[in-house]
Amino acid sequence: MSAKDAPPPLPEPLLVPVADSHTHLDMQSGTVEEALTKAAAVGVTTLVQVGCDIKGSQWAAETAAAHDNVHAAVALHPNEAPRIVLGDPDGWSRQGAREAGGDAALDDALAEIDRLAALPHVRGVGETGLDHFRTGPEGMAAQERSFRAHIEIAKRHGKALVIHDREAHADVLRVLDEEGAPERTIFHCYSGDAEMAEICAAKGYYMSFAGNVTFKNAQPLRDALAVAPLELVLVETDAPFLTPAPYRGRPGAPYLIPVTVRAMAAVRGITEEELAGAIAVNTARAFDY
């Protein structure tokens, strides 16, 4: 195994336990039990496992049912909706090549997300939203229809809404305004600037920061973190993606949360204990556990 593929070392444990508000254990190596043990060893005692498609959402619900300290979020990822409707001839997603299923196939998939969202250990509907980076203009209609449906599902079941917003800030905010956002709405892997953070703050939206807040070129993210109200700040890994510096590019996992928490505390000019305490309370409130 090259150094680049090697898992980063365990960081110093946090003294105040926190939650990883967004992770993908099904895309990480090793067992769920191993991931939970390593995370708990450094003070990361709760995980939110997030589904991106039907299979992943079913797995998230089953995993949360089997583990007290794992909560699930279920959804069709913004890039999944156009694949269901228009097909995926290149097989870029984990399911391989797919035929176009049209609107009926999207309805069937949304019905399954709706069924899963009713389960008690499913605490969130997401990650849903808009992605103008991976989906071209031909997929926008399917993506927006799916997003609106997820907002409705979250509200009807009283669950948190977990948003994926990639290069689509204005459109995401517009759809939330048009539909009426759920009581608890979380911008996963917050990617806006300080100006957008003030809009989110005014609306009471949670902002979850991932390992990319540590990247050299991420000053706009640090500026956003500096102005976000402390009671609306969450932390996540989005593992195996967005591994924090100095381990950028290596496989991420929930046990790396302390690295990001320490970087965030430095941006805020507060102790890591103060930040971790706030994050623990905020995540429990956001996901109602």
Side-chain angles (χ1 to χ4, degrees):
M1 190 183 325
S2 75
K4 187 149 171 38
D5 303 321
L10 257 67
E12 278 292 302
L14 292 168
L15 298 175
V16 176
V18 297
D20 180 349
S21 77
H22 194 110
T23 195
H24 302 287
L25 294 170
D26 50 328
M27 301 180 198
Q28 297 164 36
S29 60
T31 66
V32 171
E33 287 70 21
E34 285 164 352
L36 292 174
T37 301
K38 279 178 87 168
V42 296
V44 182
T45 51
T46 308
L47 309 183
V48 180
Q49 166 64 24
V50 179
C52 292
D53 52 28
I54 291 295
K55 257 194 245 163
S57 294
Q58 290 167 338
W59 189 87
E62 287 160 17
T63 302
H67 299 276
D68 290 343
N69 46 354
V70 179
H71 305 290
V74 299
L76 309 174
H77 189 283
N79 297 324
E80 175 70 359
R83 288 186 200 122
I84 292 172
V85 175
L86 304 171
D88 183 19
D90 306 327
W92 183 83
S93 76
R94 293 187 298 159
Q95 283 93 328
R98 282 188 275 176
E99 299 288 313
D103 281 340
L106 183 55
D107 285 335
D108 289 346
L110 288 165
E112 175 61 4
I113 296 300
D114 188 26
R115 183 190 75 79
L116 293 168
L119 298 170
H121 36 271
V122 172
R123 314 304 306 172
V125 172
E127 54 186 284
T128 180
L130 300 173
D131 188 319
H132 292 177
F133 177 76
R134 279 221 196 278
T135 292
E138 70 291 339
M140 295 296 181
Q143 200 171 79
E144 193 165 309
R145 181 161 93 83
S146 177
F147 183 25
R148 290 179 191 274
H150 282 81
I151 294 171
E152 190 277 324
I153 290 168
K155 288 198 291 197
R156 187 156 34 81
H157 293 293
K159 303 292 165 95
L161 182 72
V162 178
I163 290 180
H164 168 104
D165 159 29
R166 190 158 187 196
E167 297 182 14
H169 306 322
D171 285 328
V172 167
L173 292 168
R174 170 181 60 80
V175 173
L176 286 172
D177 281 347
E178 287 170 4
E179 294 295 322
E183 195 182 326
R184 292 168 288 115
T185 294
I186 299 149
F187 274 77
H188 129 70
C189 187
Y190 180 84
S191 61
D193 56 11
E195 192 183 354
M196 180 170 155
E198 310 223 317
I199 296 170
C200 289
K203 294 178 182 295
Y205 300 157
Y206 291 90
M207 290 162 265
S208 182
F209 290 85
N212 56 338
V213 76
T214 66
F215 295 175
K216 265 204 196 84
N217 62 353
Q219 193 55 44
L221 278 188
R222 291 186 283 275
D223 295 343
L225 172 59
V227 300
L230 189 56
E231 67 274 11
L232 294 176
V233 170
L234 309 180
V235 69
E236 64 175 88
T237 56
D238 197 23
F241 313 108
L242 298 177
T243 307
Y247 310 113
R248 185 176 183 176
R250 286 165 69 177
Y255 74 84
L256 291 170
I257 280 280
V259 179
T260 305
V261 167
R262 289 180 178 122
M264 289 169 67
V267 169
R268 298 284 308 204
I270 58 178
T271 65
E272 67 182 66
E273 289 80 9
E274 189 183 345
L275 180 62
I279 285 170
V281 170
N282 297 347
T283 318
R285 190 189 329 114
F287 287 98
D288 191 29
Y289 61 77

Coordinates of all heavy atoms in Angstrom, one line a residue, residues 11 23 28 48 58 68 76 80 93 139-140 149 154 159 175 192-193 200 220-221 242-243 245 256 281-282 285-286:
P11 N -5.9 10.7 15.3 CA -5.5 12.0 16.0 C -5.7 11.9 17.5 O -6.3 10.9 18.0 CB -6.6 13.0 15.4 CG -7.7 12.2 14.9 CD -7.2 10.8 14.6
T23 N -21.5 10.9 6.9 CA -20.5 10.0 6.4 C -21.1 8.9 5.6 O -22.3 8.7 5.6 CB -19.7 9.4 7.6 OG1 -18.5 8.7 7.2 CG2 -20.6 8.3 8.4
Q28 N -16.4 3.1 2.5 CA -15.2 3.0 3.2 C -14.7 1.6 3.3 O -15.6 0.7 3.3 CB -15.3 3.7 4.6 CG -15.6 5.2 4.5 CD -16.1 5.8 5.8 OE1 -15.6 5.4 6.9 NE2 -17.1 6.7 5.7
V48 N -23.9 9.9 11.4 CA -25.1 10.0 10.6 C -24.6 9.3 9.2 O -23.8 9.9 8.5 CB -25.6 11.4 10.4 CG1 -26.8 11.3 9.4 CG2 -26.0 12.0 11.7
Q58 N -31.3 2.0 1.7 CA -31.8 0.8 2.4 C -30.7 0.4 3.4 O -31.0 0.0 4.6 CB -32.2 -0.3 1.4 CG -33.4 0.0 0.6 CD -33.6 -0.9 -0.6 OE1 -32.7 -1.5 -1.1 NE2 -34.8 -1.0 -1.0
D68 N -27.0 1.6 17.9 CA -27.6 2.7 18.6 C -27.0 4.0 18.3 O -27.7 5.1 18.3 CB -27.5 2.5 20.1 CG -28.3 1.3 20.6 OD1 -29.2 0.9 19.9 OD2 -28.1 0.8 21.7
L76 N -32.3 10.1 -2.8 CA -31.6 10.0 -4.1 C -30.8 11.2 -4.2 O -31.2 12.4 -4.2 CB -32.7 10.0 -5.2 CG -33.9 9.0 -5.0 CD1 -34.9 9.2 -6.1 CD2 -33.4 7.6 -5.0
E80 N -28.2 11.3 -8.9 CA -28.9 10.1 -9.1 C -30.2 10.2 -9.8 O -30.6 9.4 -10.7 CB -29.1 9.4 -7.7 CG -29.9 8.1 -7.7 CD -29.2 6.9 -8.4 OE1 -28.0 7.1 -8.8 OE2 -29.8 5.8 -8.4
S93 N -22.1 5.7 -12.1 CA -22.5 5.4 -10.7 C -22.2 4.0 -10.3 O -21.8 3.2 -11.1 CB -24.0 5.7 -10.5 OG -24.8 4.7 -11.1
G139 N -30.3 17.4 -17.4 CA -30.8 16.7 -16.2 C -31.4 17.6 -15.2 O -31.9 17.1 -14.1
M140 N -31.4 18.9 -15.4 CA -31.9 19.9 -14.4 C -33.3 19.6 -13.9 O -33.6 19.7 -12.7 CB -31.7 21.3 -14.8 CG -30.3 21.8 -15.1 SD -29.3 21.8 -13.6 CE -27.7 22.3 -14.3
A149 N -39.6 16.9 -4.3 CA -40.2 15.8 -3.7 C -39.6 15.4 -2.3 O -40.3 15.1 -1.3 CB -40.1 14.6 -4.6
A154 N -39.6 15.1 3.7 CA -39.0 15.5 5.0 C -40.0 16.2 5.9 O -40.1 15.9 7.1 CB -37.8 16.4 4.7
K159 N -38.7 15.0 9.4 CA -37.3 14.7 9.5 C -36.5 15.9 9.0 O -37.0 16.8 8.3 CB -37.0 13.5 8.6 CG -37.9 12.2 8.9 CD -37.5 11.6 10.3 CE -38.5 10.6 10.8 NZ -38.2 9.2 10.5
V175 N -35.4 27.2 -4.4 CA -36.4 26.1 -4.3 C -36.8 25.9 -2.8 O -38.0 25.7 -2.5 CB -35.7 24.8 -4.8 CG1 -36.6 23.6 -4.5 CG2 -35.5 24.9 -6.3
G192 N -20.8 27.6 0.5 CA -21.0 29.0 0.2 C -20.0 29.9 0.9 O -19.0 29.4 1.5
D193 N -20.2 31.2 0.6 CA -19.2 32.1 1.2 C -19.9 32.8 2.5 O -20.9 32.3 2.9 CB -18.9 33.2 0.2 CG -20.1 33.9 -0.4 OD1 -21.2 33.7 0.2 OD2 -20.0 34.7 -1.4
C200 N -28.2 31.9 5.3 CA -28.6 30.7 5.9 C -28.9 30.9 7.4 O -29.8 30.4 8.0 CB -27.5 29.7 5.8 SG -27.3 29.0 4.1
P220 N -12.6 31.3 1.6 CA -14.1 31.7 1.6 C -14.9 30.8 2.6 O -15.8 31.3 3.3 CB -14.6 31.5 0.2 CG -13.3 31.7 -0.7 CD -12.2 31.1 0.2
L221 N -14.5 29.6 2.7 CA -15.2 28.7 3.6 C -14.9 29.1 5.1 O -15.8 29.1 5.9 CB -14.7 27.2 3.5 CG -15.4 26.4 2.4 CD1 -14.9 24.9 2.5 CD2 -16.9 26.4 2.5
L242 N -13.0 14.2 0.9 CA -12.7 15.5 1.6 C -11.9 15.3 2.9 O -12.1 16.0 3.8 CB -14.0 16.3 1.9 CG -14.8 16.7 0.6 CD1 -16.1 17.4 1.0 CD2 -14.0 17.6 -0.3
T243 N -10.9 14.4 2.8 CA -10.1 14.2 4.0 C -9.3 15.5 4.3 O -8.7 16.1 3.4 CB -9.1 13.0 3.7 OG1 -9.9 11.9 3.3 CG2 -8.3 12.6 4.9
A245 N -6.6 18.4 5.5 CA -5.1 18.5 5.5 C -4.6 18.2 6.9 O -5.3 18.4 7.9 CB -4.8 20.0 5.2
L256 N -11.4 10.9 11.8 CA -10.6 12.1 11.5 C -11.3 13.4 11.9 O -10.7 14.5 11.7 CB -10.2 12.1 10.0 CG -9.2 11.0 9.6 CD1 -9.0 10.9 8.1 CD2 -7.8 11.3 10.3
V281 N -24.4 19.4 20.8 CA -25.7 19.8 21.1 C -26.5 20.1 19.7 O -27.6 19.7 19.5 CB -25.7 21.1 22.0 CG1 -27.1 21.7 22.1 CG2 -25.2 20.7 23.4
N282 N -25.8 20.8 18.8 CA -26.4 21.2 17.6 C -26.8 20.0 16.7 O -27.9 20.0 16.1 CB -25.4 22.0 16.7 CG -25.0 23.3 17.4 OD1 -25.7 23.8 18.4 ND2 -24.0 24.0 16.9
R285 N -29.8 18.3 18.0 CA -31.0 19.1 17.8 C -31.4 19.0 16.3 O -32.5 18.9 15.9 CB -30.7 20.6 18.2 CG -32.0 21.4 18.2 CD -31.7 22.9 18.3 NE -30.6 23.3 19.2 CZ -29.5 23.9 18.7 NH1 -29.4 24.2 17.4 NH2 -28.5 24.2 19.5
A286 N -30.4 19.1 15.4 CA -30.6 19.1 14.0 C -31.3 17.8 13.5 O -32.2 17.8 12.7 CB -29.3 19.3 13.2

